[in-house]
Amino acid sequence: MKEIKDIVNAFNAAQKLQTKTALATVVHVDGSSYRRAGARMLITEDGQLTGAISGGCLEGDALRKARLVIMQQKPMLVTYDTTDDDDAKLGVQLGCNGVISILIEPVDPSLENNPVSFLQKYLSAREPVVLVTVFDMENRQSPQYGTCLLMDANGQTQGYLPQEVGVTVMKDALELLQTNGAASEVYSNHNNYTCFVELLLPPISLIVAGAGNDALPLVAFAKILGWKVTLIDGRPNYNTPDRFPDANRIVAKAEEALTNVLPDNRTAFMLMTHNYNYDIALLQQLLPLSLPYIGVLGPKKRLNKMLDEIAATSPSDYSIENIHGPAGLDLGAENAEQIALSIVSEIQAVFSKLTGQPLKNKAVIHDRETEHVIEK
């Protein structure tokens, strides 16, 4: 999400300078690579790069090819076979042991449905969308249609699909929207064309209750990750824009927290008021919402006491599986910055539906099965 926002901002800046641009997108990965499919990078004709398609080893070659794309105003599909020693001879030297396909598209601002316009549409509303990118991996001389369709949560579309791929892809896009994140990508093949159907979810919304000093690094980390941050605290000398310049919104009254913020299934709530009565009052309101993540600062004994009191006064059949207290992963955190790191790491793992285990314990970093990639 943050990368897409940075790309759109860089594109808008380039337009003001009348600088031509191209968008490079990782559209297919077979084996291992630094970035997975969907990674993007905006390239300007004067060599400015925003985003990333690799760990830095592909960017130079992509820049050279992007300048050709900008000059010809014609999309180009580039494939890097890092299992082949010839790549090292060419100076790419990825060391990833995979085959990476990257589509480089010219971005013509005069066209309503250029690839960046789809990204702008995605950023304009807090809802999931699906992007469809069409390319031919077998014949690079065939038309590379590129990013050609966006479908929003209501099934409304922007752009068009080429006749060669038919209406089946529209069905794939609609089904992907309805998975609620259970699947993230669909690949289907029609008339030699590969259709990359990609689900883009809204950014994580982090609501932090408590504007103490320990909230400062938490809000800062969330901002770096591109999350939307709402800060709740009734103390006017604590919850100020000067103290929290990275907060997207500041709410002064705790009782207005849930009436004005409207949490959804991409919302994480962090209780860190250091006030037992405030925390239990908010927790009682949060439990029926079944949010993906409710974090509670403090020892387990304190949380259990709150849950027991809530159950005694207002018994219900709500689940507590989404409550994380003490919040955070076991990183040996001691100070505010380390605790904030452990909390944002846990939130990221929860929304990614992963465990937060060490990568050395995994056979591969990006497993297509666990990432819910569907091949048709």
Side-chain angles (χ1 to χ4, degrees), residues 77-132:
L77 185 71
V78 184
T79 299
Y80 299 94
D81 185 352
T82 64
T83 64
D84 191 338
D85 289 338
D86 284 342
D87 268 342
K89 296 175 185 177
L90 292 172
V92 177
Q93 298 178 344
L94 294 175
C96 291
N97 198 33
V99 181
I100 306 158
S101 295
I102 296 173
L103 184 69
I104 306 175
E105 306 172 75
V107 185
D108 186 347
S110 68
L111 298 178
E112 179 183 1
N113 295 319
N114 66 68
V116 173
S117 72
F118 294 120
L119 302 181
Q120 291 171 325
K121 173 72 173 178
Y122 159 62
L123 293 175
S124 67
R126 186 174 172 77
E127 62 179 19
V129 302
V130 163
L131 277 181
V132 179

Side-chain angles (χ1 to χ4, degrees), residues 1 12 43 45 62 67 70 81 91 93 100 114 123 127 135 137 155 167 177 183 187 204 222 246 248 251 255 270 344:
M1 168 67 183
N12 292 335
I43 305 166
E45 60 183 331
R67 283 175 168 155
I70 290 171
D81 185 352
Q93 298 178 344
I100 306 158
N114 66 68
L123 293 175
E127 62 179 19
F135 52 95
M137 289 197 298
V167 297
L177 278 170
Y187 282 93
I204 294 172
D246 293 327
N248 298 91
V251 178
E255 58 268 23
M270 187 64 210
V344 297

Side-chain angles (χ1 to χ4, degrees), residues 31-290:
S32 176
S33 72
Y34 185 83
R35 297 296 306 272
R36 61 185 287 261
R40 294 175 173 83
M41 181 175 70
L42 187 78
I43 305 166
T44 65
E45 60 183 331
D46 59 0
Q48 298 298 312
L49 307 178
T50 304
I53 52 173
S54 75
C57 38
L58 285 182
E59 277 69 6
D61 190 68
L63 171 59
R64 291 188 290 272
K65 290 182 169 61
R67 283 175 168 155
L68 180 61
V69 166
I70 290 171
M71 181 180 68
Q72 297 179 341
Q73 287 295 292
K74 180 181 178 182
M76 176 190 298
L77 185 71
V78 184
T79 299
Y80 299 94
D81 185 352
T82 64
T83 64
D84 191 338
D85 289 338
D86 284 342
D87 268 342
K89 296 175 185 177
L90 292 172
V92 177
Q93 298 178 344
L94 294 175
C96 291
N97 198 33
V99 181
I100 306 158
S101 295
I102 296 173
L103 184 69
I104 306 175
E105 306 172 75
V107 185
D108 186 347
S110 68
L111 298 178
E112 179 183 1
N113 295 319
N114 66 68
V116 173
S117 72
F118 294 120
L119 302 181
Q120 291 171 325
K121 173 72 173 178
Y122 159 62
L123 293 175
S124 67
R126 186 174 172 77
E127 62 179 19
V129 302
V130 163
L131 277 181
V132 179
T133 304
V134 181
F135 52 95
D136 187 341
M137 289 197 298
E138 300 300 324
N139 184 3
R140 297 185 189 181
Q141 303 307 313
S142 296
Q144 304 294 343
Y145 291 107
T147 310
C148 52
L149 184 83
L150 177 143
M151 180 180 288
D152 65 22
N154 298 315
Q156 301 298 310
T157 60
Q158 173 183 330
Y160 73 97
L161 283 174
Q163 186 176 0
E164 288 90 334
V165 302
V167 297
T168 307
V169 179
M170 292 284 287
K171 181 182 177 183
D172 291 341
L174 191 58
E175 289 179 352
L176 191 56
L177 278 170
Q178 295 170 346
T179 64
N180 196 28
S184 58
E185 301 166 15
V186 171
Y187 282 93
S188 56
N189 296 295
H190 306 277
N191 296 327
N192 296 326
Y193 279 97
T194 299
C195 301
F196 172 40
V197 186
E198 175 191 11
L199 178 67
L200 296 178
L201 295 171
I204 294 172
S205 173
L206 175 62
I207 303 175
V208 180
N213 289 341
D214 52 356
L216 292 167
L218 180 62
V219 173
F221 280 144
K223 179 69 172 182
I224 291 172
L225 294 170
W227 299 355
K228 300 292 185 181
V229 184
T230 299
L231 184 69
I232 302 168
D233 198 300
R235 298 169 293 180
N237 57 328
Y238 277 74
N239 64 343
T240 66
D242 288 339
R243 289 191 77 227
F244 291 93
D246 293 327
N248 298 91
R249 184 180 180 188
I250 294 177
V251 178
K253 296 181 180 180
E255 58 268 23
E256 297 177 359
L258 299 182
T259 57
N260 291 341
V261 173
L262 300 177
D264 56 25
N265 63 4
R266 294 285 293 170
T267 297
F269 209 108
M270 187 64 210
L271 297 175
M272 49 195 311
T273 70
H274 298 281
N275 184 301
Y276 184 86
N277 292 330
Y278 287 163
D279 278 356
I280 194 172
L282 283 171
L283 184 58
Q284 191 164 12
Q285 296 179 66
L286 292 170
L287 285 173
L289 300 181
S290 299

